[in-house]
Amino acid sequence: MFTKILIANRGEIACRVAATARRMGIKTVAVYSEADANAKHVAVCDEAVLIGPAAAKESYLRADKIIEVALATGAQAIHPGYGFLSENSEFAEACAKNGIAFIGPPASAIEAMGSKSAAKSLMEKANVPLVPGYHGDNQDADFLHTEADRIGYPVLLKASAGGGGKGMRVIEKSADFKDALASCKREAINSFGDDKVLAEKYLQRPRHIEIQVFADTHGNCVYLFERDCSVQRRHQKVLEEAPAPGMTAERRAAMGDAAVAAAKAVGYVGAGTVEFIANQDGSFYFMEMNTRLQVEHPVTEMITGTDLVEWQLRVAAGEKLPLQQSELQIHGHAIEARVYAENPEKGFLPSIGTLRHARTPVAVNFELGGATDPAAFRIDSGVREGDTISPFYDPMIAKMIVWGKDRKEALARMAQALAQYQIVGLSSNIAFLSRLVTSTAFSGADLDTGLIERNQAELFPAQVAANLTTLALAVVSLLNSEKSAKDSNDPWQSSHGWRMNSLMQRSLQFTEEEQTHDVQVTYLADGWQVQAGESKVQVRLALAHENDIVIKIANQTVAATVVRDGEHFHVFSQGKHTALHYIDALAHAGEAEAETGRLTAPMPGKIVAVLVNKAQEVKKGDALLIMEAMKMEHTISAPHDGVIDEVLYAIGDQVTEGAQLLAFQQ
Ligand code: ADP
Ligand code: ADP
Ligand code: MG
């Protein structure tokens, strides 16, 4: 076995690989970019070496630098994680040339599966079923258009070199083909440096079911059953589970055998995933093979009681697979939720910022059924409180994985864990995930890749205004912090309204999205009366420790965490997160209204297309400019009819968050 490995990745996967290495007594070397100098993966490894600036191209994708570091530090093997260099056959080859073991498949297998088109041709020969489509070499736009017409709409365009859902375009009708092809090619060349595309029939209500395979250098190849990853947004996984609900033993064996056949066809070694798209009737087609460890591998680990990173290390060191097919069994049910820095209410737009407050549900105390039960709960995270989610890398904050003896138990545990997860400082999808796991469709296992879109009403309910208890929690937190400041004798902190005689009254205002809450506070001998609208209640602070408070409200005791972030009060109570904006009348005096007629960048990024010219007339909703940020394209559209005054950036320009992109007149 190796005594030292280099981990050529960052974030949660680098930390996860390091954890297994440590358990096995293997030393680890981290590499990091300038943006990651204080990152968690740097802290958890035994050594860490700076390899370049923030941009992945200049750091995590610098194969030469990484090999240099491996040689200099005496690492005998490199684990590439997922993303970055994990599916780069040249990197795998370069490792071999330098006498370093690449913890992954041989370069030839990566190469064979690297292009979705070539892989499909190969699978065709191995008799693995394929979705009807065109995956040939002819890339002529008119030819592809004819092919799409022949396949019949809806048609899906994919980047042959694609991954992470990038470049994918669903085309509903022939007239939309040209624009979709251009946009697919643009994203493909930007993301993968290759604009080759393939077209296939876009299946209706399909499920994404994938098989985990594992092969060693002794000719053994097994499958570790399936994962259902149907719940997606933007063709990217949000929830994953194993086993797949409704899977029969026969179909599992058929899919497992097809996956093993696919792996064997390319001389596969190590961990790999064969992705299938399945119809509701169970018929399935090969989609692609990911020649690496998958983001969602923990659900497989939980139901099989394995550590797949340990398997990877053993196989790379030349050992045999730890278990044979007949020794593998499914035990219980596991679900993973990907916690992303994004705003589900705004089309899942990625969000960046600092995790001012991050509390993971470590306190969740599950009763374990018996000694054979695996740990019921796991969080794989690459960030800690105080860390930032930057625009340079993937916006995933953490993966939360739960196990239960059956799906129902796993679901209940997931709901409970999500309710206890607190994040302040950026938008996250936690509340959305909570609604998703408890939704009728997901809890009823009515799965397909359109689940989120089909259940908009249930998943995006109209916001319920904060109730009096929530307002009271924010008020008590505010008054208590003012009181503490006052007790510390700061002359500037004497709270307004505090010293007036007899019944002291004060008006406070909070806003919540579009709502305004006017709250009247009356100071009482041992607490306050809090009134909003017609309802009023007496409140007393029972306990306060840092951000945690307990209040007595009417006859109830309510515990909460209230985190103040500037003017925002984040109230976490009873599994709900409410963000209240405190309008401090004094602080806002004289502030001007936000200007209109400007269009600004929602986040830092690069301009990839400018669709209008100076003096051009545009209609509300017209696309004006496309920028790429956090590996996604964002279209900036006209907020109303008007005329373009000025286009302030050109294609290729980098823009900072909030930068004015265009001047625009009504
Ligand atoms: P999987 O297919 O493994 O479930 P996805 O397709 O959602 O996962 O995302 C995997 C791809 O997304 C990777 O190949 C990589 O391009 C990108 N990616 C996701 N997370 C990260 C990360 N933390 N660091 C780098 N790349 C990432
Ligand atoms: P990536 O490399 O980005 O992971 P995939 O080919 O694996 O690309 O597809 C990603 C997702 O897109 C699938 O999980 C599925 O939801 C959807 N998808 C892919 N192909 C089809 C298809 N032919 N019909 C319907 N949905 C599809
Ligand atoms: Mg895929």
Side-chain angles (χ1 to χ4, degrees), residues 9-13 82-84 86-87 163-166 210 236-237 240 275 290 292-296 338 340 393-394 396 631:
N9 213 300
R10 63 180 303 283
E12 67 88 15
I13 194 62
Y82 52 72
F84 298 133
S86 62
E87 295 181 270
K166 277 163 270 167
E210 59 186 33
Q236 256 203 327
K237 299 157 187 166
E240 299 108 338
E275 295 191 330
N290 291 329
R292 54 172 162 93
L293 191 68
Q294 202 94 332
V295 175
E296 58 276 20
R338 298 193 191 188
Y340 283 113
Y393 315 112
D394 197 85
M396 196 164 73
K631 305 203 251 158

Side-chain angles (χ1 to χ4, degrees), residues 116 158 163-165 168 200-201 203 208 232 275 288 449:
K116 289 187 205 289
K158 287 184 189 178
M168 237 178 256
E200 59 187 35
K201 181 87 190 158
L203 301 186
H208 173 119
Q232 308 180 342
E275 295 191 330
E288 64 163 344
T449 60

Side-chain angles (χ1 to χ4, degrees), residues 267-341:
Y268 205 78
V269 175
T273 295
V274 181
E275 295 191 330
F276 294 99
I277 189 118
N279 280 310
Q280 292 291 329
D281 70 6
S283 55
F284 59 90
Y285 307 102
F286 172 84
M287 200 155 46
E288 64 163 344
M289 179 166 184
N290 291 329
T291 54
R292 54 172 162 93
L293 191 68
Q294 202 94 332
V295 175
E296 58 276 20
H297 73 278
V299 292
T300 300
E301 296 183 321
M302 277 199 166
I303 62 154
T304 55
T306 54
D307 177 338
L308 296 183
V309 172
E310 178 180 342
W311 281 40
Q312 285 189 297
L313 291 166
R314 294 199 180 286
V315 166
E319 293 183 23
K320 282 189 177 160
L321 289 180
L323 296 173
Q324 295 175 3
Q325 193 66 57
S326 58
E327 296 169 301
L328 283 161
Q329 268 178 13
I330 297 178
H331 179 56
H333 198 97
I335 305 176
E336 172 179 284
R338 298 193 191 188
V339 178
Y340 283 113

Side-chain angles (χ1 to χ4, degrees), residues 232-245:
Q232 308 180 342
R233 52 114 183 79
R234 243 189 274 118
H235 305 299
Q236 256 203 327
K237 299 157 187 166
V238 178
L239 295 176
E240 299 108 338
E241 59 184 307

